[in-house]
Each structure stands twice: as C-alpha cells, then as structure tokens.
Amino acid sequence: MRVVVANDHGAVDLAKKVLAHLDEIGVEYTYLGVGEEKSVDYPDKAREAVEEYRKGGYDRGILMCGTGIGISLAANKMKGIRCALPQDIYATEKTREHNDANFMALGGRVEYKDDVLKMVDAFLTVPFSGDERHMRRIEKLMALEGK
Ligand code: RB5
C-alpha cells in the first residue's frame, strides 16, 4: 500500500496526525505538504498530488484542506480521479465498496463524529465490491468526464 498525501494550510495539524498514523500502521507515503501554516492554494495541492499519483506505484491519495471540499472538487476535475469526501466511517466504507474511490478528502477544521484515523483505515483497507452494478455506475460516472 502506497499513498500520496497533500494538504493546504487549513489542515496542517490533521495532516500531521494522518502521517503519524500511516507511519504507525506501516503504510508508505509521499508527502507533498504543506507542513506549516503557510497559505497555499488547495487546487495547487490537489494537482500536485494527482500528478504524483499518476507517476504510478500508488494505491490511493489522501487530500486535506479546511473543509475537504475545495481540495476534493479540484481533484475531481482531473481525469481518472474519484475523490470521496466521506463524513464518517460508514460513508468511507461505502465509497470504497461502491465508488472504488481512489482519493479521499478530509477537513482539518471539520468535527467528525467518528475517529478520522478510523476513516483513513477504512479508506485504505476496504476493497471495491466488484459488483456488476457498481462497475456499471462507475463506468457511467467516468463517462461524464469532460462533459
Ligand atoms: C482555506 O482557508 C480554505 O478555504 C480551504 O482550506 C478549504 O476549506 C477550501 O475548501
């Protein structure tokens, strides 16, 4: 399991927490920052992360901004990306099973009802169901790119 991670200034603390967790569970990652409270633009961080992911050898991407919204919107503009913005563990599991999400976005200024690290765990471990109906829907979803 290899992951690319990036965040803007709205999620510096959350990013530190997520990276420490990845170290703890032995997941390899490439971290693209920003690791300090320096203002950066979330579309730039999303683009950098997706470009890194496309180099190959990555299984997933984790993006963070203040809400998770801006950075997920930016990532979803890029071809081949299905960036989920789950609100809890349940939605995280479902987005892997149903949407085969390859990126997840989290909000550093959001209060989650569930442990955000358990959401990360679910994102990294739950497999895509492979069901025909979900594959059909993902194909339709990806066919919307560029429309
Ligand atoms: C930055 O202040 C903030 O707008 C950004 O982190 C994010 O929440 C945008 O969606």
Side-chain angles (χ1 to χ4, degrees):
M1 174 62 63
R2 201 154 156 249
V3 179
V4 59
V5 183
N7 60 280
D8 79 357
H9 54 282
V12 173
D13 289 346
L14 177 60
K16 285 184 184 152
K17 210 169 130 174
V18 168
L19 295 175
H21 184 62
L22 295 180
D23 285 333
E24 212 174 285
I25 61 176
V27 169
E28 275 184 58
Y29 58 81
T30 299
Y31 179 50
L32 302 172
V34 56
E36 57 189 282
E37 300 285 342
K38 171 180 159 248
S39 182
V40 292
D41 297 336
Y42 59 79
D44 294 335
K45 301 317 289 181
R47 182 181 45 75
E48 287 166 28
V50 171
E51 284 172 355
E52 179 63 28
Y53 177 80
R54 285 177 177 163
K55 288 181 186 167
Y58 291 99
D59 302 287
R60 309 258 200 287
I62 302 177
L63 300 174
M64 292 159 274
C65 68
T67 57
I69 297 172
I71 207 156
S72 66
L73 291 172
N76 280 315
K77 294 278 180 201
M78 297 184 73
K79 214 167 162 44
I81 301 306
R82 291 183 299 282
C83 182
L85 180 61
Q87 61 272 44
D88 56 18
I89 295 170
Y90 171 79
T92 310
E93 290 170 351
K94 292 303 151 192
T95 198
R96 286 292 312 133
E97 288 171 8
H98 293 192
N99 315 124
D100 197 16
N102 45 18
F103 272 67
M104 94 183 296
L106 295 165
R109 298 173 184 154
V110 173
E111 262 189 52
Y112 291 97
K113 76 172 169 67
D114 290 339
D115 181 346
V116 80
L117 298 179
K118 293 215 165 69
M119 292 166 64
V120 168
D121 288 343
F123 179 62
L124 299 179
T125 58
V126 174
F128 174 52
S129 71
D131 285 356
E132 192 278 326
R133 69 184 192 285
H134 294 309
M135 284 167 63
R136 182 182 67 242
R137 290 165 190 161
I138 290 170
E139 269 171 36
K140 288 185 178 184
L141 171 68
M142 301 320 280
L144 295 173
E145 274 179 341
K147 293 266 185 291

